[in-house]
Amino acid sequence: MRVLVTGGAGFIGANFVHQTVRERPDVQVTVLDSLTYAGNRASLGPVADRIDFVHGDITNADLVDGLVAASDVVVHFAAESHNDNSLGDPWPFVHTNIVGTYTLLESVRKHDVRYHHISTDEVYGDLELDDPARFSESTAYNPSSPYSSTKASSDMLVRAWTRSFGVRATLSNCSNNYGPYQHIEKFIPRQITNVLSGIKPKLYGDGRNVRDWIHVDDHNSAVWAIIDGGEIGHTYLIGADGEVDNRTVVESVLEVLGENPDAFDFVTDRPGHDRRYAIDSTRLRTELGWEPRYRDFRSGLEATVDWYRSNESWWRDRKEATEKKYAAAGEAKTTPGKAT
Ligand code: NAD
Ligand code: TDX
């Protein structure tokens, strides 16, 4: 099987390629990645001699067409993925997430190639902290940020191309991932690398926002389950019952690193900050028999902390620029207790 992986030099895509090379020797992997600030060739270093890497953009229709024509399956991870960046400059999100997906869809349509679309639970908006509900495949779309609205748009394109043109597509919407090779702009690696750099972790707002954490390897095993057995045209929500509030995550990072769990700063809240995400993954579990392997968030977090401690050369040269970006966006310390 020849699999084209877009965004394979990013966090989840690189872990997908590692897992595929490790567990599926019959699969031939080609990565297409434009190596934005978020892409890193070094993330594919350990498997470099087992895959083909193409440096290019998913909005380049000619390039995409040649690669899709030579593939049996396309797994589309490439995206602009960070909410905070989408608030500063939405254009790259519109271009990559919407036009890029359109470009891939036109090509898989032309060559009748199986397509799997990677999306996010953020398309469903957010839940109140005390709401017993969780997101399911029938929840209405209600995205909050430029990032999530472009992901919602791309999902809609996939559904339309499936219904109108018979494209053989499946979709998955996953909750927040953690694990190795995640860019240090994101919440968990930012706080780990802050502590390792002598900087206090930064908690937005009141720190009570809840995310539903899943280990990246569990996300990727679910993606393979859907490619193998998913029903064409169906959407599958991926989650591992991992709801934790942000303050608890920061306190855990500090504890794991042997620091005082109160040694963090409250900072300016994110505009439009989604309160809570929570996934009901019953369809994936009952129809496809998928189960997560990482059920204990604390031990998964400890392994992730260890990875960042042992792989400083992977992140160190991006740390200063990442923190400068947050400062330039106006992030400022707020008073604990007075934060809203
Ligand atoms: P990431 O930002 O770490 O990686 C994105 C990759 O895409 C990078 O390697 C980048 O160079 C590449 N890319 C960006 N624009 C491109 C373009 N125009 N052409 C080719 N390559 C391009 O993102 P991630 O966290 O690995 O997310 C991967 C996918 O999973 C995204 O579609 C995201 O929406 C989705 N997702 C992420 C999470 C999460 O928690 N990180 C959760 C659910 C869904
Ligand atoms: O420094 C921080 N302090 C903080 O309190 C950062 C960077 C984040 N946060 C909060 C905001 C969120 O409540 O932590 C939570 C997680 O933030 P992010 O890592 O930016 O993730 P989120 O906005 O939830 O989106 C992530 O999950 C869904 C991914 O980045 C998306 O690509 C995915 O679709």
Side-chain angles (χ1 to χ4, degrees), residues 9-12 33-34 36 39 57-58 77 81 96 119 147 151 177:
F11 164 46
I12 305 174
D33 198 296
S34 63
T36 66
D57 203 293
I58 55 165
F77 291 95
S81 69
T96 286
S119 193
Y147 162 68
K151 291 298 292 186
N177 286 216

Side-chain angles (χ1 to χ4, degrees), residues 85-103:
N85 294 342
S86 81
L87 296 163
D89 181 10
W91 168 244
F93 291 75
V94 172
H95 187 63
T96 286
N97 299 357
I98 303 178
V99 180
T101 298
Y102 160 79
T103 308

Side-chain angles (χ1 to χ4, degrees), residues 37 81-82 182-191 326:
Y37 80 96
S81 69
H82 195 37
Q182 186 168 29
H183 194 284
I184 56 168
E185 69 189 353
K186 301 296 197 303
F187 181 49
I188 288 180
R190 183 182 183 202
Q191 314 317 336
Y326 279 113

Side-chain angles (χ1 to χ4, degrees), residues 81-84 119-122 147 151 174-177 182 185-188 190-191 202-204 209-211 213 246 267 270 273-274 277 326 331:
S81 69
H82 195 37
N83 274 301
D84 291 324
S119 193
T120 169
D121 60 358
E122 296 192 21
Y147 162 68
K151 291 298 292 186
C174 188
S175 60
N176 284 62
N177 286 216
Q182 186 168 29
E185 69 189 353
K186 301 296 197 303
F187 181 49
I188 288 180
R190 183 182 183 202
Q191 314 317 336
K202 310 295 177 204
L203 211 37
Y204 293 172
N209 300 62
V210 168
R211 295 295 180 265
W213 293 100
N246 291 341
V267 294
R270 171 186 286 171
H273 194 176
D274 281 340
Y277 305 136
Y326 279 113
E331 183 177 280

Side-chain angles (χ1 to χ4, degrees), residues 44-319:
L44 293 170
V47 292
D49 58 344
R50 304 275 303 276
I51 63 163
D52 292 317
F53 182 85
V54 179
H55 182 194
D57 203 293
I58 55 165
T59 61
N60 178 341
D62 290 338
L63 174 66
V64 162
D65 212 47
L67 294 169
V68 168
S71 305
D72 301 305
V73 182
V74 174
V75 191
H76 178 33
F77 291 95
E80 285 293 336
S81 69
H82 195 37
N83 274 301
D84 291 324
N85 294 342
S86 81
L87 296 163
D89 181 10
W91 168 244
F93 291 75
V94 172
H95 187 63
T96 286
N97 299 357
I98 303 178
V99 180
T101 298
Y102 160 79
T103 308
L104 287 160
L105 285 171
E106 281 294 81
S107 192
V108 294
R109 173 189 173 196
K110 181 171 160 192
H111 300 287
D112 188 25
V113 169
R114 171 85 167 86
Y115 174 88
H116 181 71
H117 186 72
I118 303 292
S119 193
T120 169
D121 60 358
E122 296 192 21
V123 301
Y124 300 113
D126 63 352
L127 299 161
E128 294 299 328
L129 295 181
D130 59 358
D131 190 337
R134 299 192 290 169
F135 300 138
S136 76
E137 286 78 4
S138 57
T139 304
Y141 275 39
N142 187 27
S144 314
S145 73
Y147 162 68
S148 53
S149 63
T150 59
K151 291 298 292 186
S153 306
S154 70
D155 293 9
M156 294 301 169
L157 295 180
V158 179
R159 291 178 183 199
W161 262 242
T162 303
R163 176 157 172 169
S164 300
F165 303 128
V167 162
R168 291 183 293 127
T170 41
L171 300 92
S172 53
N173 295 75
C174 188
S175 60
N176 284 62
N177 286 216
Y178 70 96
Y181 300 108
Q182 186 168 29
H183 194 284
I184 56 168
E185 69 189 353
K186 301 296 197 303
F187 181 49
I188 288 180
R190 183 182 183 202
Q191 314 317 336
I192 296 170
T193 57
N194 274 349
V195 178
L196 293 175
S197 306
I199 304 168
K200 284 188 180 175
K202 310 295 177 204
L203 211 37
Y204 293 172
D206 63 2
R208 292 296 176 200
N209 300 62
V210 168
R211 295 295 180 265
D212 190 352
W213 293 100
I214 181 172
H215 192 277
V216 64
D217 284 344
D218 283 332
H219 181 179
N220 285 326
S221 69
V223 169
W224 267 116
I226 298 164
I227 294 169
D228 287 339
E231 193 165 330
I232 298 301
H234 274 205
T235 291
Y236 296 85
L237 263 59
I238 306 174
D241 302 331
E243 285 188 64
V244 189
D245 73 37
N246 291 341
R247 183 173 177 154
T248 304
V249 172
V250 160
E251 288 170 350
S252 302
V253 166
L254 284 159
E255 278 167 13
V256 171
L257 284 164
E259 301 286 333
N260 176 349
D262 293 332
F264 59 81
D265 290 332
F266 285 104
V267 294
T268 330
D269 204 358
R270 171 186 286 171
H273 194 176
D274 281 340
R275 197 59 167 158
R276 170 174 159 248
Y277 305 136
I279 290 268
D280 177 351
S281 58
T282 304
R283 171 184 270 184
L284 176 69
R285 294 174 194 236
T286 53
E287 284 184 21
L288 301 180
W290 173 86
E291 289 293 334
R293 285 184 48 217
Y294 295 81
R295 289 161 192 279
D296 177 26
F297 176 70
R298 176 71 180 224
S299 60
L301 183 66
E302 284 168 9
T304 305
V305 168
D306 272 350
W307 188 87
Y308 282 90
R309 212 179 352 211
S310 314
N311 290 276
E312 190 167 334
S313 61
W314 182 85
W315 59 266
R316 176 54 72 190
D317 62 349
R318 293 173 180 212
K319 186 63 184 168

